[in-house]
Amino acid sequence: MSDMSRIKTFNLPDLGEGLTEGEILAWLVKVGDTIELNQPIVEVETAKAAVEIPAKWAGQVQAIHHPEGTTVEVGTPIIAIDTDPGAGPLEPPSTTATPSGDLPTPSAASLAAVELAPAEGMVEPGLIGGAAPGGRTAVLVGYGPRTTAAKRRPRKAAAPAQAAVPTSSGVDHEVVVGDKPAATPAIPAPQVHDRRDGARGGGAGLGGLVLAKPPVRKLAKDLGVDLGTLTGSGPLGSITREDVQQAASGSVAAAEPVAVTSTATSAASFGADREQRIPVKGVRKLTAENMSRSAFTAPHVTEFLTVDVTRAMKALERLRGRREWRDVRVSPLLLVAKAVLLAVKRHPMVNSTWAGDEIVVKEYVNLGIAAATERGLIVPNVKDAGRLSLRELADALNGLVQTAKSGRTSPADMSGGTLTITNVGVFGVDTGTPILPPGESAILAFGAVREMPWVHKGKVKARQVTTLGLSFDHRIIDGELGSKFLRDIGDFLADPEAALLAWT
């Protein structure tokens, strides 16, 4: 077997639903390791989840092309594997040929003869939008950059044309035009307001002269305010409209001489060492894109319902006490999920998708459960949850949550959702106005269960109460349907046994 046929290059595969890139979180092997077929070799985070990718061949790792933390596109080579390491050492690559073996290494003379294209956006000095030396800018006819010589609009000068520009440091600066220095055209003298009393006030920015823009001067004249008596709060001590208005209202006294302080130095500033920049990528990036698209595509409506769930909580306690349920984690979310599934059977239109010129009503429920993870919000779903028994549903929910917390949720588990529950109650929140996942028409927010005063059988008693929030796509679900669906969920949670007897 030749060396080239022994070395297999493993490309980053498409991990599901048209994902275009992934970030290498961790390499599970290193160069020189012997690996087996289907052995996990790398952990990659996509826009949906972090997954381990198995090896396509057994052999020895020869090269790792991208370090951890690198984002690579699907189809990019990430690792090279020697599939026959027992055949002996590999021959070193030739120094006169490329890895393909058929192209010679270019000589220094040929490299020197290559004309490099200019970097995008480079402009030749003195030209507006023109091409840099050695290149050209390709544009459509009638569009794109001009190649005319740069010109300046002539300005009137209040000082001789050959005067140099004075600076605060006392050094005169010159402007270089072409290859020779030329005197800088004099800067027009700023329009100033002469001081009647000759005193130097706070608005005296340069040489005792008042700095103020013409609109500010006109405002001062109209209001009868003497600019010479004001302390400017603008740049370089210039007087602003606010200074004039405050003086006119009598809230500012006559200014006393003060030193001019740049606002850049007087204003509080903080360095980059007190800021944190978090790259938006992976799950967080996909979530942001999905939420933005959904919020500005589907017209959202949210309704709320506060429910006495005391009987539901007692039913959970009885369920936990049964022998066959003692090893199962039972939470209020289980009853909420069961309530949603039963309500969907009574109102099938809620479990549908807007498809432009038609509405797709689905006879299966892939029930999504929003989960907060270290990498961001994900929504895995229980496939065909409506066909599961209560015990099967409990096992599926527990497995879903544990997998999400460990960061091992697969892209398949997060695709195809039809209806979602977000359990904001675990954070101590009463409810919310959740945004619909793309392609779904309803999402239920389940709030915290609290002991609150409640009128029960004509008397105020302490009862277990929660608040539900239902957001739905108003293109599909009108107010009547949304209200009935939410009411049925509330009825089940208020009295689960009665609802099961009535509806099943």
Side-chain angles (χ1 to χ4, degrees):
M1 180 182 294
S2 66
D3 288 352
M4 295 306 300
S5 60
R6 286 171 52 183
I7 301 299
K8 301 292 185 182
T9 300
F10 184 81
N11 299 336
L12 180 66
D14 182 354
L15 299 175
E17 293 200 344
L19 298 174
T20 60
E21 63 181 17
E23 179 187 358
I24 297 177
L25 293 180
W27 282 104
L28 308 180
V29 296
K30 60 182 182 296
V31 175
D33 283 358
T34 300
I35 60 176
E36 299 177 356
L37 178 66
N38 293 328
Q39 175 183 335
I41 57 175
V42 63
E43 183 180 12
V44 176
E45 181 184 32
T46 69
K48 289 184 174 291
V51 295
E52 291 183 351
I53 299 178
K56 293 175 61 176
W57 307 281
Q60 187 178 60
V61 178
Q62 290 298 309
I64 291 177
H65 299 308
H66 300 280
E68 295 176 357
T70 305
T71 299
V72 297
E73 296 183 355
V74 170
T76 302
I78 58 174
I79 190 172
I81 301 173
D82 181 1
T83 58
D84 190 14
L90 296 169
E91 296 182 3
S94 172
T95 58
T96 60
T98 62
S100 61
D102 54 357
L103 294 177
T105 303
S107 64
S110 63
L111 288 175
V114 175
E115 184 178 280
L116 297 178
E120 183 179 355
M122 291 181 61
V123 179
E124 183 179 348
L127 296 181
I128 303 175
R136 56 174 297 184
T137 304
V139 297
L140 294 176
V141 176
Y143 296 87
R146 296 182 298 164
T147 56
T148 57
K151 297 180 180 179
R152 292 183 178 273
R153 181 167 46 181
R155 296 185 293 182
K156 294 182 180 180
Q162 300 298 323
V165 180
T167 66
S168 58
S169 62
V171 179
D172 292 341
H173 293 270
E174 294 179 333
V175 175
V176 178
V177 180
D179 296 328
K180 297 181 180 181
T184 304
I187 299 176
Q191 185 177 358
V192 299
H193 177 77
D194 293 336
R195 311 292 289 276
R196 295 181 181 178
D197 55 3
R200 182 171 182 173
L206 294 172
L209 301 179
V210 177
L211 298 181
K213 295 181 180 179
V216 176
R217 296 180 181 279
K218 183 178 184 304
L219 176 64
K221 182 178 180 181
D222 295 341
L223 298 179
V225 175
D226 184 2
L227 294 178
T229 64
L230 302 184
T231 299
S233 62
L236 296 177
S238 61
I239 296 174
T240 65
R241 293 179 61 90
E242 290 73 16
D243 297 334
V244 174
Q245 291 168 347
Q246 289 180 2
S249 63
S251 60
V252 175
E256 296 180 359
V258 294
V260 177
T261 303
S262 172
T263 56
T265 58
S266 61
S269 60
F270 302 97
D273 58 333
R274 297 187 64 183
E275 298 176 347
Q276 182 183 12
R277 296 181 180 271
I278 302 175
V280 179
K281 57 185 179 180
V283 174
R284 191 178 300 275
K285 182 177 181 180
L286 180 67
T287 300
E289 294 173 351
N290 286 343
M291 294 299 97
S292 298
R293 184 170 69 252
S294 177
F296 295 102
T297 302
H300 284 57
V301 173
T302 305
E303 293 184 338
F304 306 96
L305 180 64
T306 302
V307 184
D308 177 5
V309 294
T310 305
R311 290 183 177 178
M313 297 302 102
K314 291 180 179 179
L316 282 180
E317 290 298 326
R318 293 195 298 270
L319 193 62
R320 294 186 184 107
R322 296 186 65 87
R323 183 175 61 255
E324 61 269 28
W325 282 81
R326 289 175 183 173
D327 59 340
V328 181
R329 183 178 181 274
V330 179
S331 71
L333 179 61
L334 174 62
L335 291 187
V336 174
K338 188 63 177 180
V340 168
L341 294 172
L342 290 176
V344 166
K345 290 183 179 180
R346 292 166 57 82
H347 309 283
M349 184 66 74
V350 172
N351 189 49
S352 59
T353 298
W354 180 269
D357 56 351
E358 61 183 1
I359 297 173
V360 181
V361 182
K362 300 170 183 178
E363 297 180 356
Y364 55 90
V365 180
N366 291 340
L367 185 63
I369 305 295
T373 69
E374 293 182 356
R375 296 187 177 95
L377 177 69
I378 64 174
V379 188
N381 60 80
V382 179
K383 299 293 191 287
D384 209 1
R387 293 181 177 273
L388 302 180
S389 66
L390 189 63
R391 173 58 188 267
E392 292 170 337
L393 182 60
D395 291 338
L397 291 176
N398 290 332
L400 198 95
V401 172
Q402 294 303 319
T403 302
K405 287 182 177 180
S406 64
R408 303 299 178 184
T409 303
S410 68
D413 289 337
M414 291 186 288
S415 62
T418 64
L419 195 65
T420 295
I421 299 172
T422 174
N423 186 10
V424 297
V426 296
F427 305 111
V429 176
D430 290 330
T431 191
T433 56
I435 297 177
L436 293 168
E440 299 183 20
S441 61
I443 178 173
L444 180 74
F446 173 39
V449 177
R450 304 181 186 277
E451 190 173 60
M452 298 178 62
W454 192 266
V455 178
H456 178 66
K457 297 181 178 180
K459 296 181 180 180
V460 177
K461 297 182 179 181
R463 304 285 288 181
Q464 300 282 79
V465 177
T466 190
T467 301
L468 307 173
L470 178 71
S471 293
F472 52 86
D473 187 341
H474 213 4
R475 296 173 300 181
I476 302 173
I477 304 173
D478 57 22
E480 179 185 10
L481 177 58
S483 299
K484 289 181 177 179
F485 179 72
L486 183 59
R487 182 199 62 197
D488 280 358
I489 296 173
D491 288 347
F492 179 91
L493 294 177
D495 194 344
E497 292 94 339
L500 284 173
L501 290 175
W503 298 347
T504 59

